[in-house]
Amino acid sequence: MQRQAVNPSDWSVKLGYNQAELIGGMTRQFICSGQTSVDDAGNLRHEGDMRAQIGLALDNLETVVKGAGMTLANVIRLGIYATDVDAALQNFDLLGARFGGHDVAPPMTLLGVTRLALPGMLFEIEATAAD
């Protein structure tokens, strides 16, 4: 798979993501449902703690992606949902560290929502990956 960043200006790169990417040579596409701050039994963890919820959601995303034989380097699109956009943005360094470690900055959308699936859930991240 080849990735070509498309950034008419660099404002998004400074925030850790590309405005778009041109993907070529792809053989498989992986679509992952929203990953949240739940344990292996589906129980919410870190209620009320945005930073901890983002960290566990990213752990869960990475685990699911690995299950397809891929890594976070294969992620080509993120959809992010947060009950508090400002709190999520204050903790986006976690995304930068996780994806930057793979030298990728996938295009993403962050949406503020009134609630997520479980009471106390603050953050959800879905992904599309390819190889």
Side-chain angles (χ1 to χ4, degrees):
M1 173 182 69
Q2 302 88 38
R3 301 170 80 130
Q4 177 184 340
V6 179
N7 294 301
S9 60
D10 67 351
W11 64 266
S12 68
V13 176
K14 293 175 185 175
L15 296 173
Y17 69 95
N18 291 315
Q19 293 177 48
E21 288 185 348
L22 184 61
I23 307 296
M26 181 179 74
T27 59
R28 296 187 306 158
Q29 184 177 27
F30 173 79
I31 300 170
C32 181
S33 67
Q35 298 299 302
T36 61
S37 179
V38 295
D39 61 20
D40 290 341
N43 299 308
L44 178 66
R45 295 291 179 234
H46 312 299
E47 186 171 345
D49 185 340
M50 179 67 78
R51 188 167 186 85
Q53 285 198 20
I54 291 172
L56 184 52
L58 287 168
D59 290 345
N60 290 339
L61 174 62
E62 193 162 12
T63 298
V64 173
V65 169
K66 283 181 182 178
M70 297 182 182
T71 71
L72 293 181
N74 296 99
V75 173
I76 59 172
R77 175 89 171 91
L78 295 171
I80 299 171
Y81 308 90
T83 59
D84 183 338
V85 170
D86 292 329
L89 287 170
Q90 290 171 1
N91 292 286
F92 257 41
D93 63 298
L94 294 173
L95 278 84
R98 195 72 65 102
F99 286 95
H102 291 276
D103 200 29
V104 295
M108 70 174 76
T109 299
L110 169 61
L111 295 174
V113 297
T114 57
R115 68 161 285 183
L116 292 165
L118 299 174
M121 189 175 283
L122 307 173
F123 184 86
E124 186 166 347
I125 185 168
E126 61 187 18
T128 302
D131 64 2

